[in-house]
């Protein structure tokens, strides 16, 4: 199960085939170097997704959220 599925059961992810991206760079990164220092994130991916859902819910409730 993907992390977003655990917290957003109604979430629907769609990809549309729109052609080939001319920029073929790969942005997959490794955490190996920072993890060797002993660093561990304070929050899980699932916890971060929960916070984003909470923030968007609050922002949607306000007509002028950026004011």
């Amino acid at each position: 199960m993907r992390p977003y599925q655990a917290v957003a059961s109604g979430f629907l992810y769609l990809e549309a085939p729109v052609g080939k991206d001319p920029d073929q760079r790969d942005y997959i990164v490794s955490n190996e170097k920072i993890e060797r220092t002993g660093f561990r994130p304070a929050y899980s991916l699932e916890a971060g997704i929960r916070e984003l859902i909470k923030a968007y819910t609050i922002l949607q409730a306000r007509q002028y959220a950026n004011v």
Side-chain angles (χ1 to χ4, degrees):
M1 179 178 284
R2 294 181 174 150
Y4 64 80
Q5 291 172 323
V7 295
S9 60
F11 181 77
L12 178 61
Y13 176 78
L14 299 173
E15 279 190 56
V18 293
K20 187 173 183 179
D21 186 351
D23 182 356
Q24 295 297 303
R25 288 180 282 183
D26 182 336
Y27 292 98
I28 297 173
V29 297
S30 170
N31 294 333
E32 183 181 345
K33 189 174 181 180
I34 196 166
E35 287 175 350
R36 283 197 309 254
T37 69
F39 173 83
R40 294 292 179 267
Y43 301 96
S44 69
L45 177 59
E46 183 177 330
I49 292 171
R50 286 181 189 279
E51 284 295 311
L52 285 172
I53 291 171
K54 187 162 89 176
Y56 287 133
T57 302
I58 291 168
L59 290 174
Q60 284 180 340
R62 299 179 182 177
Q63 184 177 1
Y64 303 105
N66 63 345
V67 178

